């Protein structure tokens, strides 16, 4: 598995999301100060709502910029066989109940992004996610029991790359 190619895909995905978000911030900011957004009475909150939206999107844009900064400094390790899963490891899991298999790449930020490596779909996960926490420190062949409310899932670690 080529982590350099995965890292490029991930960085491009986050940068693309940032570009989209910055456009949305500009549009919401323009709507907040537009002449047609001026309140006609005390109950007209269109400008206020647009300002709140612009603020929320600005916060998200700042978070995406932070993620890009972290990803640019993220050092890809060459994971050694028989090593525990750490941030940077690609982990292949199989769920016991349905034999469903998934590839997860443990990264410091930007969890939940689907990437492709040849014919394999790899999803990013952060150590902040419940499954991400459980993966850290696991070895090939380990079992992971994940409880989320009343639901319980059991996974086997097929490989750690």
């Amino acid at each position: 598995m080529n982590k350099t190619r995965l890292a490029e895909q991930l960085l491009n995905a986050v940068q693309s999301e940032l570009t989209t978000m910055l456009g949305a911030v500009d549009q919401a900011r323009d709507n907040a100060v537009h002449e047609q957004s001026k309140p006609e009475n005390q109950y007209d909150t269109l400008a206020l709502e647009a300002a709140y939206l612009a603020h929320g999107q600005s916060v998200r844009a700042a978070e995406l910029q932070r993620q890009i900064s972290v990803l640019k400094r993220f050092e890809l390790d060459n994971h050694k066989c028989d090593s525990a899963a750490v941030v940077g490891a690609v982990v292949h899991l199989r769920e016991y109940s349905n034999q469903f298999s998934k590839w997860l790449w443990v990264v410091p930020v930007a969890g939940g992004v689907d990437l492709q490596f040849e014919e394999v779909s790899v999803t990013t996960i952060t150590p902040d996610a419940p499954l991400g926490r459980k993966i850290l420190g696991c070895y090939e062949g380990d079992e992971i029991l994940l409880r989320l409310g009343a639901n319980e899932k059991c996974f086997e670690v097929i490989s750690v790359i």
Side-chain angles (χ1 to χ4, degrees):
M1 182 106 13
N2 188 331
K3 291 181 189 177
T4 303
R5 286 190 21 215
L6 289 175
E8 290 170 2
Q9 284 183 49
L10 180 57
L11 187 58
N12 288 338
V14 176
Q15 286 174 330
S16 175
E17 186 178 350
L18 175 61
T19 300
T20 302
M21 186 57 61
L22 290 175
V25 167
D26 289 341
Q27 184 176 7
R29 191 174 296 128
D30 289 346
N31 288 341
V33 298
H34 194 272
E35 181 180 312
Q36 290 181 341
S37 295
K38 288 183 182 178
E40 295 176 2
N41 58 49
Q42 68 186 29
Y43 302 108
D44 189 356
T45 60
L46 185 61
L48 182 62
E49 291 168 7
Y52 280 130
L53 179 62
H55 172 71
Q57 290 172 330
S58 295
V59 170
R60 177 65 181 145
E63 171 59 20
L64 290 169
Q65 289 171 331
R66 185 190 74 78
Q67 289 180 8
I68 289 169
S69 176
V70 169
L71 290 172
K72 285 182 176 179
R73 288 180 281 134
F74 182 49
E75 293 186 25
L76 301 173
D77 65 332
N78 291 324
H79 196 272
K80 296 175 178 67
C81 290
D82 300 330
S83 293
V86 295
V87 174
V90 176
V91 180
H92 186 199
L93 297 178
R94 181 175 54 225
E95 189 175 344
Y96 280 124
S97 64
N98 59 12
Q99 297 300 308
F100 180 73
S101 141
K102 64 174 75 178
W103 289 86
L104 298 171
W105 185 24
V106 185
V107 291
V109 293
V113 178
D114 291 322
L115 308 170
Q116 283 295 127
F117 179 74
E118 295 173 359
E119 298 296 317
V120 177
S121 178
V122 179
T123 303
T124 61
I125 189 168
T126 66
D128 296 330
L131 183 56
R133 276 193 298 275
K134 294 275 188 171
I135 287 174
L136 293 179
C138 286
Y139 292 87
E140 186 176 311
D142 283 354
E143 291 183 0
I144 297 173
L145 180 62
L146 181 64
R147 289 190 180 113
L148 296 172
N151 296 328
E152 190 173 273
K153 292 188 176 196
C154 191
F155 300 93
E156 177 186 5
V157 178
I158 304 299
S159 63
V160 179
I161 302 172

